[in-house]
Amino acid sequence: MEMEGRRSEVVVSSLQFACSHDISTNVAAAERLVREAHAKGANIVLIQELFEGYYFCQAQREDFFQRAKPYKNHPTIARMQKLAKELGVVIPVSFFEEANNAHYNSIAIIDADGTDLGIYRKSHIPDGPGYQEKFYFNPGDTGFKVFQTKFAKIGVAICWDQWFPEAARAMVLQGAEVLFYPTAIGSEPQDQGLDSRDHWRRVMQGHAGANVVPLVASNRIGKEIIETEHGPSQITFYGNSFIAGPTGEIVAEADDKTEAVLVAQFDLEKIKSKRQSWGVFRDRRPDLYKVLLTMDGNL
């Protein structure tokens, strides 16, 4: 089926793999899995958050700032541009960005012809045991964005952003037809009995259902140990990458230990008709939502 000069159907993919300390090994793994996703028919392939290395935010270490690179001429982005053009696929590329004296948790959106469509900088920055991102990242200044790719208009946000319904709604209001969330989440170093995986997944299923759009989440797997100022810190990343349909239903999912390439196909024209007829955007009352612009609920 054709719509507005492009196919109505789109095949999306979520990748899941363990990272090492070596950038070249991790980027090669990502490329290998992107190729596998393409072989399965994928048009848009999501790689997990900060896939160039270990999730370094377990520690507050000055030397880890050396991992940041400027957006312009970034070697991993350039490599993924070449790969995207070769395969004809869209690839969002997560990276640690240095911008003069600022640092961001960013993602570049590479279109199917290798064109760099621009970046999104992570808006919500967590700060807790094992996930000390405020030490490294400035709050993103791009705002929530959508990107018109060859296959779909997509909204891309990053990890902690996925817990905020406002972010998902903002992207879909701007026309996003599919939401993508690259992630790095696992065990909690301060409480090994705390397992957030089901909560994590249900929140995003809610975003898909509330906005009547498909949603793709990619998370890493494996045990990572980082030396911190207080000794070694360990996180076991729980994977469970998934793809949800427009009512929040799970259509593809991975486990917590296995490398995976998930794929799912959606008819965007049919989903658009469902979204329009369901009325959740028709019946919105922005005039009543001013309280959302406050921190304490007082206007």
Side-chain angles (χ1 to χ4, degrees):
M1 185 176 181
E2 299 288 333
M3 54 180 287
E4 299 176 357
R6 62 183 174 92
R7 293 189 313 164
S8 172
E9 293 84 7
V10 63
V11 180
V12 297
S13 177
S14 172
L15 308 185
Q16 174 175 295
F17 61 96
C19 291
S20 74
H21 63 84
D22 183 66
I23 293 176
S24 61
T25 299
N26 298 321
V27 175
E31 178 171 335
R32 171 174 57 83
L33 295 177
V34 169
R35 291 184 181 278
E36 185 176 332
H38 171 256
K40 292 183 176 183
N43 306 125
I44 307 174
V45 185
L46 183 64
I47 310 170
Q48 61 216 29
E49 181 187 18
L50 298 173
F51 64 90
E52 290 183 298
Y54 282 150
Y55 178 74
F56 53 89
C57 304
Q58 289 195 61
Q60 295 187 14
R61 285 173 44 177
E62 292 181 6
D63 58 314
F64 284 164
F65 279 100
Q66 297 173 16
R67 297 175 176 228
K69 296 183 180 69
Y71 170 40
K72 186 177 182 180
N73 299 319
H74 192 290
T76 299
I77 295 174
R79 179 167 174 174
M80 291 299 159
Q81 285 182 273
K82 183 178 179 181
L83 180 64
K85 184 176 182 179
E86 175 192 342
L87 302 179
V89 298
V90 175
I91 310 174
V93 182
S94 173
F95 68 105
F96 183 12
E97 180 191 1
E98 179 184 80
N100 294 322
N101 286 305
H103 295 81
Y104 298 100
N105 187 337
S106 300
I107 192 159
I109 312 305
I110 309 305
D111 208 356
D113 62 357
T115 300
D116 185 344
L117 299 178
I119 60 170
Y120 165 73
R121 290 169 169 165
K122 186 174 182 176
S123 300
H124 302 96
I125 310 299
D127 185 31
Y131 301 89
Q132 301 176 70
E133 295 194 16
K134 279 186 167 66
F135 183 75
Y136 298 99
F137 306 130
N138 296 82
D141 58 359
T142 59
F144 303 109
K145 301 172 69 174
V146 298
F147 301 87
Q148 180 63 67
T149 74
K150 177 180 179 180
F151 301 106
K153 183 177 277 191
I154 65 173
V156 185
I158 302 170
C159 201
W160 190 228
D161 289 331
Q162 67 208 179
W163 294 85
F164 295 84
E166 299 91 341
R169 178 52 56 91
M171 290 185 285
V172 180
L173 279 172
Q174 295 176 76
E177 298 171 291
V178 188
L179 297 176
F180 292 84
Y181 291 97
T183 303
I185 191 170
S187 59
E188 303 290 336
Q190 83 285 4
D191 183 358
Q192 291 300 314
L194 177 59
D195 185 348
S196 64
R197 75 186 72 191
D198 291 338
H199 186 190
W200 170 78
R201 188 160 71 169
R202 283 193 296 264
V203 166
M204 284 185 282
Q205 288 179 258
H207 298 335
N211 291 286
V212 197
V213 294
L215 184 149
V216 183
S218 170
N219 189 25
R220 66 177 66 196
I221 52 172
K223 181 186 296 184
E224 297 183 12
I225 300 174
I226 300 290
E227 288 297 327
T228 78
E229 63 274 27
H230 305 298
S233 177
Q234 174 181 303
I235 293 178
T236 300
F237 292 92
Y238 54 59
N240 280 262
S241 302
F242 69 93
I243 301 172
T247 64
E249 75 280 17
I250 299 295
V251 298
E253 58 186 324
D255 64 21
D256 61 352
K257 294 182 177 65
T258 309
E259 187 175 278
V261 177
L262 306 177
V263 295
Q265 179 171 312
F266 297 102
D267 187 321
L268 299 180
E269 187 69 12
K270 287 183 178 179
I271 293 171
K272 179 181 179 181
S273 294
K274 181 178 182 66
R275 187 165 55 249
Q276 291 172 334
S277 65
W278 201 245
V280 290
F281 288 91
R282 178 197 64 211
D283 296 336
R284 292 183 67 252
R285 291 292 306 278
D287 56 311
L288 302 181
Y289 304 153
K290 294 180 177 62
V291 68
L292 296 178
L293 299 178
T294 72
M295 291 294 287
D296 63 2
N298 291 314
L299 295 173

